[in-house]
Amino acid sequence: QVRLVESGGDLVQPGGSLRLSCAASGVNFKITTMSWYRQSPGEQREWVATINSSGTTTYADDVKGRFTISRLNPRNLLLLELMNLKPEDTAVYYCHTIYWSRPFWGRGTQVTVSS
């Protein structure tokens, strides 16, 4: 059974930083492409970043240079470092993967950027 559990969300001031984590189980993590998405109130869920099994990363334009996706394969952990946060980064952040051709999502972790 695939399970993704996010953590690390918090209230932070503009310009601040956070690190989000996603603990994955039920997957062969080291060969699995993993992604982060986010959803703001009243908006559709949007893609943030992806990392494949080789460690190649891709980012949405509005987070490029501020967010860093990485993975700790021995611990089955997906990470997202968020820096220079802006109020428009406020959202629920979700961990996502496609495994055996099926999409899986975590329940999300809330990031709020406000002074």
Side-chain angles (χ1 to χ4, degrees):
Q1 180 180 357
V2 177
R3 189 165 182 239
L4 305 174
V5 180
E6 303 93 337
S7 61
D10 205 345
L11 170 63
V12 62
Q13 292 188 344
S17 301
L18 278 176
R19 187 174 82 163
L20 307 183
S21 299
C22 170
S25 58
V27 298
N28 187 346
F29 186 77
K30 63 182 179 182
I31 66 168
T32 302
T33 294
M34 302 293 299
S35 298
W36 287 98
Y37 284 73
R38 67 184 180 185
Q39 187 168 18
S40 304
E43 302 289 333
Q44 291 198 347
R45 194 169 297 187
E46 63 176 4
W47 170 71
V48 174
T50 294
I51 184 167
N52 68 12
S53 59
S54 300
T56 301
T57 58
T58 51
Y59 297 92
D61 286 343
D62 57 351
V63 306
K64 200 173 296 183
R66 299 189 299 121
F67 291 9
T68 303
I69 189 172
S70 61
R71 60 195 303 154
L72 297 176
N73 286 342
R75 295 177 60 186
N76 282 18
L77 275 181
L78 177 70
L79 304 175
L80 186 68
E81 301 277 354
L82 294 72
M83 296 182 294
N84 191 21
L85 281 160
K86 306 175 182 180
E88 51 265 40
D89 294 318
T90 295
V92 178
Y93 284 71
Y94 297 91
C95 183
H96 171 265
T97 192
I98 296 176
Y99 201 69
W100 292 115
S101 301
R102 291 177 56 199
F104 292 93
W105 298 91
R107 292 191 173 186
T109 186
Q110 176 71 48
V111 172
T112 302
V113 185
S114 175
S115 54

